[in-house]
Amino acid sequence: MLEKTFDPKSVEPRLYAAWEASGGFAPIDDPAAEPFSIVIPPPNVTGSLHIGHALNNTLQDVLIRFERMRGKAALWLPGTDHAGIATQMVVERQLAAQGNQSRRDLGREAFVEKIWAWKAKSGGTITNQLKRLGASCDWSRERFTLDEGLSAAVRKVFVTLYKQKLIYRDKRLVNWDPHFQTAISDLEVEQREVDGHYWHFAYPLEDGSGEIVVATTRPETMLGDVAVAVHPKDERYRAMIGRAVRLPIVNRPVPIIADDYADPEKGSGAVKITPAHDFNDFQVGKRHALPMINIFDDFAHLNDNTPVEYRGLDRFAARKKVVEAFEALGLLRAVEKTRHMVPHGDRSGVVVEPYLTDQWYVNAEVLAKPAIKAIEDGDAVFVPKAWEKTYFEWMRNIQPWCISRQLWWGHRIPAWFGPGGKIFVAETEAEAKREAREHYGRDEPLAQDEDVLDTWFSSALWPFSTLGWPQKTTDLARFYPTHTLITGFDIIFFWVARMMMQGIHFMDGQVPFKRIFINALVRDAEGKKMSKSKGNVMDPLELVDDYGADALRFTLTAMSGQARDLKLSRERIEGYRNFGTKLWNAARFTQMNGAARAEGFDPAKVRLPINRWIVGETTRTAQAVTAALDTCGFDAAADGLYRFVWRQYCDWYVELSKPVLGKPDEPTTDEAARDETRATAAWVLDVILKLLHPVMPFLTEELWGQTQGLGAARDHKGFLMTAPWPQLPSSLIDPQADAEIGLIVETIAEGRSVRAELNVPNSARPPLLVIDATAAQRQVLRDAAPLIMQMLRVAEVRIADAPPPGAIPYVVEGATLALPVAEFIDVAAERARLGKDVASLASDIAHTARKLGNADFVARAPEEVVEENRERLAEALAAKAKLEAALSRLGAVV
């Protein structure tokens, strides 16, 4: 017999260990089985499970469990990313805590050894956390972006692209993090709004005839100015174009140039041009062949390209000194306070500098073309389709991809420098030396590039490098291309697009995945982004401790269709935990009432309407859930399961079957009917467990195992995880049974609504009158009278020609019924109450509608506030319609 309650804390670790030990997470070894593969978006090896991981990995697990049960060779390939800058930061902090030792004190080799030691000890944290969530990855195939196989793939790709002239070295601007002294990607840049100033500086014309005023938020960069730009059509400056100003402090002449970048409507209309320290200025500099003067070193201290008194100063100290100098020179024209966006390193927290350095680049424009065409042609599809626009906008305007990082942890760039600056790119040092020998005619000393590759470079190869490429492995032949990628919209550019480019280029034009499902961003219950500073972060592991993994998984699955944002609350999770409890209790009821699998049970042959009805509802649900999961409609699948299990099975079938089942230890007048109902209940429960398993694997697996004794053995004797998915034909749906049971169910449900709306006391027992119904409907209601009397709390069910005074009519399935309730309520008081409630809702509706009708409010208010008002309006309209219907019913009472 089942325990009274389900205990996740004891069940989950026991079941997971048993699943893993069984080998059931690996794809079945059947050459005829259709392959279905997913590669996990590799979490950082430094990471801990956050709520975004929980959503993303829950959806992946739902899909892989579904396809595994459908008999496919389902592979969910796990792994972690070495996360260059994040991991290096963790270990550097540890070194600092141990005595102010830096990586430079240790040296490269010793420092990297320490990172590997940290990885061996602490790097598997997130893997174990994923297991707590129930992730059924094939851990025997787990990969790491720095393992030897993946490193070989990275070297192969770099060398190949270099020889194809798609990788090259260039001096360009990058986002530079002075704390880590490395270039960082756009993804690692966080824009923060800060208080600042616009300083207005006067640059005297070189001939002494006047001045041009420019404004800047970064005065220190003026030391690297090489021009002043004005718009070619700006009449104020047309005569000055081609002349020069004398750059203060530096005392260097710089030209006045004409360029459309200068905005006549903004400030003075003239802008200073510093190509080495501003991305827009860099483009202006290229257009006009201007010199590019870098005034910073790697730590953002001023270098030797600045006047002597500024050299070695921190950039912000230099800023203060520059402003003081302009003031002393009488050239500071104005200072305005402003709030503006300033880029910061998301990990270091320091201000990022545009910085001119030599870096390695990929010609992404060439690689992007076939990746764009693949989406255009439908070789891979986005779900939802709207995300294609985001993909296309970035890919069609793609810039060279900076792939080098000035770090020590990562894939070291396979390039060696020889005398004269000659570069040798090869997969091994031995190969580079051989090429150098051929070039110089003798052995010469070579020095390997100190830089490592951007983490995204190795993770771009993930769908095929993890399967063994460049070796022609069995896994690669069987599981590439993968089927579905589930990821967040924030890395469409940085990961999805780059996997598309590299996969198509290196895998003979084959896309790396056929479908890209973009999941929502998890926010708090008010729609606000979660952050530690706001104190609204929800820890998935804490939620699993409090509610169980299944409750969290079901919540995330059910809410996954909420467009861009998913509003999560503990109340929702608690509600879905109650759903699990409801199913557990229903299973206990069927067990206690002798539910038993019958040998050779055929759902097509049941005879009782209640059993034919539940078989049909089960079939509809199985078909709907299958169709939803097949198309990544995770929320629709969860919603269909919730409604069927809670309403049709637990609320109605269990209640409607009680008269047939009687008491387990007492005889009944129709033993065959009881046996059929017991067998049907057991069959439906088995189907429910199968359908629900991908979303709630622990609860369903435990019920599967604990209900093994329900009569005859199941066809499948192993874990529910590997049981066959229900494939139920439409022929099991019986329209006549649907009509009969539907009439009974709606009679009771609608009658309950009437009682609730009008505050009819629970103790009241009015009759239920059948006013207008077909002969068949009357017979159904007569036969079901004892059940209706009990569940609707009415004194009798009788046929009547017309409703008497004080009766509330309602229509069900075309039949008119009535509940005489006037004697049990104060009609006038109820009319007044309902009228007051309707008026209050009407006022709320008008107020909210006015706000939403205000274009300025919709444009300026935070997105979550606008969405909250839309939801409030929809809820108020629905509530008002319901109360108006109740008022209308009361209008018939005299």
PDB file of all heavy atoms in Angstrom, residues 180-191:
ATOM      1  N   PHE A 180      41.525  42.540 -15.717  1.00  0.00           N
ATOM      2  CA  PHE A 180      42.064  41.254 -16.154  1.00  0.00           C
ATOM      3  C   PHE A 180      43.102  41.402 -17.264  1.00  0.00           C
ATOM      4  O   PHE A 180      43.719  40.428 -17.674  1.00  0.00           O
ATOM      5  CB  PHE A 180      40.930  40.346 -16.640  1.00  0.00           C
ATOM      6  CG  PHE A 180      40.012  39.881 -15.548  1.00  0.00           C
ATOM      7  CD1 PHE A 180      38.687  40.285 -15.521  1.00  0.00           C
ATOM      8  CD2 PHE A 180      40.462  39.047 -14.541  1.00  0.00           C
ATOM      9  CE1 PHE A 180      37.836  39.863 -14.514  1.00  0.00           C
ATOM     10  CE2 PHE A 180      39.625  38.622 -13.531  1.00  0.00           C
ATOM     11  CZ  PHE A 180      38.304  39.027 -13.511  1.00  0.00           C
ATOM     12  N   GLN A 181      43.267  42.622 -17.773  1.00  0.00           N
ATOM     13  CA  GLN A 181      44.193  42.908 -18.882  1.00  0.00           C
ATOM     14  C   GLN A 181      43.934  41.984 -20.079  1.00  0.00           C
ATOM     15  O   GLN A 181      44.837  41.323 -20.598  1.00  0.00           O
ATOM     16  CB  GLN A 181      45.659  42.786 -18.455  1.00  0.00           C
ATOM     17  CG  GLN A 181      46.064  43.756 -17.362  1.00  0.00           C
ATOM     18  CD  GLN A 181      46.034  43.107 -16.002  1.00  0.00           C
ATOM     19  OE1 GLN A 181      46.671  42.077 -15.815  1.00  0.00           O
ATOM     20  NE2 GLN A 181      45.315  43.684 -15.057  1.00  0.00           N
ATOM     21  N   THR A 182      42.679  41.961 -20.511  1.00  0.00           N
ATOM     22  CA  THR A 182      42.329  41.145 -21.668  1.00  0.00           C
ATOM     23  C   THR A 182      41.173  41.774 -22.435  1.00  0.00           C
ATOM     24  O   THR A 182      40.383  42.553 -21.878  1.00  0.00           O
ATOM     25  CB  THR A 182      41.927  39.719 -21.245  1.00  0.00           C
ATOM     26  OG1 THR A 182      41.641  38.945 -22.424  1.00  0.00           O
ATOM     27  CG2 THR A 182      40.701  39.712 -20.367  1.00  0.00           C
ATOM     28  N   ALA A 183      41.118  41.412 -23.705  1.00  0.00           N
ATOM     29  CA  ALA A 183      39.929  41.730 -24.486  1.00  0.00           C
ATOM     30  C   ALA A 183      38.783  40.868 -23.974  1.00  0.00           C
ATOM     31  O   ALA A 183      38.991  39.741 -23.525  1.00  0.00           O
ATOM     32  CB  ALA A 183      40.182  41.443 -25.958  1.00  0.00           C
ATOM     33  N   ILE A 184      37.572  41.393 -24.015  1.00  0.00           N
ATOM     34  CA  ILE A 184      36.394  40.622 -23.639  1.00  0.00           C
ATOM     35  C   ILE A 184      35.330  40.793 -24.716  1.00  0.00           C
ATOM     36  O   ILE A 184      35.351  41.752 -25.489  1.00  0.00           O
ATOM     37  CB  ILE A 184      35.836  41.020 -22.253  1.00  0.00           C
ATOM     38  CG1 ILE A 184      35.425  42.496 -22.223  1.00  0.00           C
ATOM     39  CG2 ILE A 184      36.852  40.726 -21.148  1.00  0.00           C
ATOM     40  CD1 ILE A 184      34.764  42.919 -20.914  1.00  0.00           C
ATOM     41  N   SER A 185      34.400  39.848 -24.751  1.00  0.00           N
ATOM     42  CA  SER A 185      33.350  39.892 -25.770  1.00  0.00           C
ATOM     43  C   SER A 185      32.246  40.863 -25.365  1.00  0.00           C
ATOM     44  O   SER A 185      32.151  41.281 -24.205  1.00  0.00           O
ATOM     45  CB  SER A 185      32.746  38.497 -25.961  1.00  0.00           C
ATOM     46  OG  SER A 185      31.938  38.162 -24.848  1.00  0.00           O
ATOM     47  N   ASP A 186      31.413  41.207 -26.324  1.00  0.00           N
ATOM     48  CA  ASP A 186      30.279  42.081 -26.031  1.00  0.00           C
ATOM     49  C   ASP A 186      29.396  41.477 -24.944  1.00  0.00           C
ATOM     50  O   ASP A 186      28.798  42.200 -24.148  1.00  0.00           O
ATOM     51  CB  ASP A 186      29.442  42.298 -27.296  1.00  0.00           C
ATOM     52  CG  ASP A 186      30.166  43.149 -28.324  1.00  0.00           C
ATOM     53  OD1 ASP A 186      31.132  43.840 -27.934  1.00  0.00           O
ATOM     54  OD2 ASP A 186      29.783  43.119 -29.501  1.00  0.00           O
ATOM     55  N   LEU A 187      29.289  40.155 -24.921  1.00  0.00           N
ATOM     56  CA  LEU A 187      28.444  39.484 -23.930  1.00  0.00           C
ATOM     57  C   LEU A 187      28.952  39.726 -22.516  1.00  0.00           C
ATOM     58  O   LEU A 187      28.178  39.727 -21.556  1.00  0.00           O
ATOM     59  CB  LEU A 187      28.407  37.978 -24.204  1.00  0.00           C
ATOM     60  CG  LEU A 187      27.483  37.157 -23.302  1.00  0.00           C
ATOM     61  CD1 LEU A 187      26.039  37.536 -23.522  1.00  0.00           C
ATOM     62  CD2 LEU A 187      27.682  35.675 -23.539  1.00  0.00           C
ATOM     63  N   GLU A 188      30.264  39.962 -22.382  1.00  0.00           N
ATOM     64  CA  GLU A 188      30.863  40.157 -21.060  1.00  0.00           C
ATOM     65  C   GLU A 188      30.905  41.628 -20.652  1.00  0.00           C
ATOM     66  O   GLU A 188      31.472  41.979 -19.629  1.00  0.00           O
ATOM     67  CB  GLU A 188      32.273  39.567 -21.045  1.00  0.00           C
ATOM     68  CG  GLU A 188      32.276  38.053 -21.227  1.00  0.00           C
ATOM     69  CD  GLU A 188      33.628  37.510 -21.659  1.00  0.00           C
ATOM     70  OE1 GLU A 188      34.270  38.128 -22.533  1.00  0.00           O
ATOM     71  OE2 GLU A 188      34.017  36.470 -21.134  1.00  0.00           O
ATOM     72  N   VAL A 189      30.260  42.472 -21.473  1.00  0.00           N
ATOM     73  CA  VAL A 189      30.186  43.900 -21.170  1.00  0.00           C
ATOM     74  C   VAL A 189      28.791  44.217 -20.642  1.00  0.00           C
ATOM     75  O   VAL A 189      27.792  43.855 -21.244  1.00  0.00           O
ATOM     76  CB  VAL A 189      30.479  44.751 -22.423  1.00  0.00           C
ATOM     77  CG1 VAL A 189      30.272  46.229 -22.122  1.00  0.00           C
ATOM     78  CG2 VAL A 189      31.895  44.505 -22.910  1.00  0.00           C
ATOM     79  N   GLU A 190      28.759  44.887 -19.514  1.00  0.00           N
ATOM     80  CA  GLU A 190      27.487  45.261 -18.886  1.00  0.00           C
ATOM     81  C   GLU A 190      27.361  46.778 -18.903  1.00  0.00           C
ATOM     82  O   GLU A 190      28.218  47.490 -18.377  1.00  0.00           O
ATOM     83  CB  GLU A 190      27.478  44.735 -17.445  1.00  0.00           C
ATOM     84  CG  GLU A 190      26.215  45.017 -16.673  1.00  0.00           C
ATOM     85  CD  GLU A 190      26.333  44.480 -15.249  1.00  0.00           C
ATOM     86  OE1 GLU A 190      26.179  43.259 -15.062  1.00  0.00           O
ATOM     87  OE2 GLU A 190      26.605  45.280 -14.326  1.00  0.00           O
ATOM     88  N   GLN A 191      26.309  47.281 -19.528  1.00  0.00           N
ATOM     89  CA  GLN A 191      26.106  48.729 -19.588  1.00  0.00           C
ATOM     90  C   GLN A 191      25.425  49.193 -18.296  1.00  0.00           C
ATOM     91  O   GLN A 191      24.355  48.708 -17.943  1.00  0.00           O
ATOM     92  CB  GLN A 191      25.247  49.095 -20.803  1.00  0.00           C
ATOM     93  CG  GLN A 191      25.886  48.773 -22.147  1.00  0.00           C
ATOM     94  CD  GLN A 191      27.084  49.653 -22.457  1.00  0.00           C
ATOM     95  OE1 GLN A 191      27.268  50.724 -21.875  1.00  0.00           O
ATOM     96  NE2 GLN A 191      27.921  49.214 -23.404  1.00  0.00           N
TER      97      GLN A 191
END
